[in-house]
Amino acid sequence: MSNKTIVTAFAVMTFSAGLFAENKPAAAGLPKRNDVTMRTLRFRDVPPGDVMDPFQAIKQFQATRLEWVYLNDWSPREKEQVQKMLKAGLVFGGSAGGQLQCWVGDTNAPDWKKKIATLDLNGNPISLPHHRKWADPYLIGDVSNPDYFKGHVEYYNRYVDLGATTLQRDDAQSTSDGAVQKYGAGFTKTGLAGFQVWLKKNLLSEELAALGITDVDHFDYGDYLRGLKAPAGDDFERFKEPIKPYWLKYWKEVATDFYVRLFAEVRAHAGQPIPFSCNNTSFQIWDSITSLFDFGISELLAGTANPSHIWERSLATRKLGKVQVFGTPKTRGEEVNPVTKTILARKSIAT
C-alpha cells in the first residue's frame, strides 16, 4: 500500500480503535476490542478501486464497522452502497447533525426553515460560525419544537429501516444547549413558552419577585431582554442579567430531555436497544450532554494526537463505563506536510 493511498484515504476517512474498561465485555452493539471503525461521512460516486472508494480502504485496514455516515439524498446508489456494506458483514451506523438537513417533513412552504430553526433575540435563524459563509448555512433545529423533534426522529428511523444497528450524532452539544450559550439561540415560540412554564414550576413566588417577575404567566423573556437593550446572536454570550442563568439551566434540561426521548423513540421503532454514539469533540469530553450517549467517536487534533492525551481520556472514559473511539488527527485547514500527517496518523493508530 503506497503512502499516496494512505494519505488520500486519511484525508477522507477516519480509522479508529476503541478503548475499553478492563475485563469488561462490550455491550450489544458497542465496538469490541478487535473492531476497527471507519468514518466515511458520505459515499462518493467514484469507480471501484479508486482511492476515494470506501471499500478499498475497508479492505486495506480490515475495518469491521462503518459509522458516522451521512446519506446525502437517500438515492438508490447510496442505498445500494449500504446494502453492499451489510452483505460484507460490516456494522453500519448512520449519522445526523442538529442542522435542518437532518430532518424529514414538509419543505414546500417558503418559510419552513424558520418555523423549525432555533432563533436569536431578533428572530434570525442560527447556524454555527464555520457554516455561515456556506451557500447553505446549515441552520440549527429548535430542540424545543415538537415538529423538529418528530422530523429528526424520522430521519434516524430511515437509517434503521436500511439496516443500521448503531447511530451517531454529530455536534451533540453545539446544536442544542450550546447554541443557546454561545450563539444567543432559543428565542422561538416554543422555547420562550417552555421557559415561562419552567420558571413557574422551579422557582418560588419570592424568588420570582426578587428577579422582578410579578406575573410569570405572562412573562416573556425576549420582551424582557429587549427592554434591557440586550444584544442578539453571538454577543448575547457576554451579556449578563439575573434571569439568564435560569435560562441556560432551562435549555440544558430541554436538550437533555430531547436526547432521552430521541433515543427512546428510535429504539422503539427499531425494536432493539440500538446504541447511540456522539462526536464528543476533538478533546474527547464527557459532560452532561455527551454522557447521555453510549459511546464517543471523535477525531484527534494534531496537538492531542499523543500518548499522554489518549491515555488520560481513556482513563476518564473507563471510569464512566463507556467506550471512546479515537479518530486520526485533523488539521483544521492548516498546511501540513502530507508525509508528516501520515506519520502522525500511523502513530495515533499504533498508540
Side-chain angles (χ1 to χ4, degrees):
M1 181 165 46
S2 68
N3 278 347
K4 180 179 179 181
T5 301
I6 294 174
V7 172
T8 306
F10 272 114
V12 179
M13 305 165 188
T14 301
F15 302 85
S16 322
L19 274 291
F20 305 88
E22 292 296 330
N23 302 317
K24 181 179 179 180
L30 294 180
K32 300 184 294 294
R33 289 178 181 271
N34 60 343
D35 272 327
V36 176
T37 297
M38 189 178 83
R39 184 194 76 166
T40 187
L41 289 184
R42 300 190 185 281
F43 291 117
R44 289 161 176 79
D45 192 6
V46 295
D50 188 275
V51 292
M52 295 286 189
D53 177 13
F55 293 96
Q56 179 84 348
I58 285 170
K59 293 177 182 178
Q60 293 171 338
F61 287 85
Q62 300 178 37
T64 57
R65 299 172 67 96
L66 183 71
E67 302 191 57
W68 203 334
V69 181
Y70 290 95
L71 295 190
N72 192 38
D73 52 14
W74 303 87
S75 66
R77 181 186 67 83
E78 289 179 322
K79 294 177 180 179
E80 183 179 322
Q81 293 279 66
V82 171
Q83 293 308 309
K84 186 176 179 180
M85 295 288 178
L86 294 173
K87 288 180 181 178
L90 274 80
V91 170
F92 167 66
S95 181
Q99 298 81 19
L100 302 192
Q101 283 77 1
C102 301
W103 181 81
V104 177
D106 183 7
T107 59
N108 292 320
D111 62 343
W112 74 269
K113 290 184 177 181
K114 195 169 183 178
K115 286 184 177 179
I116 60 170
T118 189
L119 308 175
D120 68 15
L121 186 57
N122 291 337
N124 299 311
I126 296 286
S127 60
L128 298 179
H130 63 284
H131 291 159
R132 294 172 188 171
K133 293 182 179 180
W134 294 7
D136 185 342
Y138 277 39
L139 303 180
I140 299 172
D142 174 16
V143 294
S144 75
N145 187 324
D147 291 334
Y148 171 69
F149 176 79
K150 180 181 178 181
H152 196 57
V153 168
E154 179 58 31
Y155 187 87
Y156 273 116
N157 285 345
R158 287 187 174 188
Y159 284 125
V160 172
D161 294 342
L162 278 178
T165 52
T166 181
L167 296 166
Q168 195 263 2
R169 173 65 182 237
D170 197 4
D171 291 324
Q173 303 150 305
S174 58
T175 52
S176 54
D177 67 307
V180 174
Q181 295 181 46
K182 295 183 178 181
Y183 315 124
F187 295 96
T188 61
K189 182 178 179 180
T190 51
L192 289 166
F195 185 48
Q196 182 187 91
V197 173
W198 187 92
L199 286 170
K200 187 174 182 178
K201 179 181 178 180
N202 290 277
L203 272 66
L204 299 173
S205 57
E206 295 83 359
E207 294 174 303
L208 291 170
L211 293 170
I213 302 174
T214 56
D215 184 4
V216 68
D217 290 323
H218 296 91
F219 177 72
D220 185 300
Y221 186 52
D223 288 343
Y224 165 82
L225 289 170
R226 282 185 281 272
L228 297 177
K229 300 188 182 304
D234 296 0
D235 291 336
F236 184 64
E237 181 183 12
R238 295 179 293 277
F239 185 76
K240 296 181 180 180
E241 52 79 28
I243 300 177
K244 186 178 179 180
Y246 297 103
W247 173 251
L248 298 180
K249 184 177 181 181
Y250 155 70
W251 275 104
K252 181 74 71 174
E253 293 183 12
V254 170
T256 298
D257 179 67
F258 175 85
Y259 285 123
V260 170
R261 289 185 295 117
L262 173 71
F263 300 160
E265 292 265 355
V266 174
R267 286 165 178 159
H269 177 81
Q272 59 178 313
I274 286 185
F276 272 81
S277 66
C278 71
N279 174 3
N280 58 336
T281 81
S282 296
F283 298 95
Q284 293 72 49
I285 293 172
W286 295 105
D287 60 14
S288 63
I289 295 296
T290 56
S291 293
L292 297 170
F293 292 78
D294 300 296
F295 65 109
I297 305 178
S298 57
E299 305 149 306
L300 292 162
L301 296 173
T304 60
N306 60 73
S308 177
H309 174 82
I310 293 173
W311 176 243
E312 189 276 326
R313 287 291 83 200
S314 300
L315 290 180
T317 301
R318 288 175 179 175
K319 288 179 181 178
L320 292 172
K322 295 186 179 292
V323 175
Q324 179 69 56
V325 179
F326 293 91
T328 49
K330 60 183 179 181
T331 58
R332 287 183 168 176
E334 297 178 11
E335 289 293 329
V336 177
N337 184 294
V339 175
T340 300
K341 186 177 180 181
T342 299
I343 292 173
L344 189 59
R346 286 173 168 169
K347 286 182 176 179
S348 300
I349 294 173
T351 301

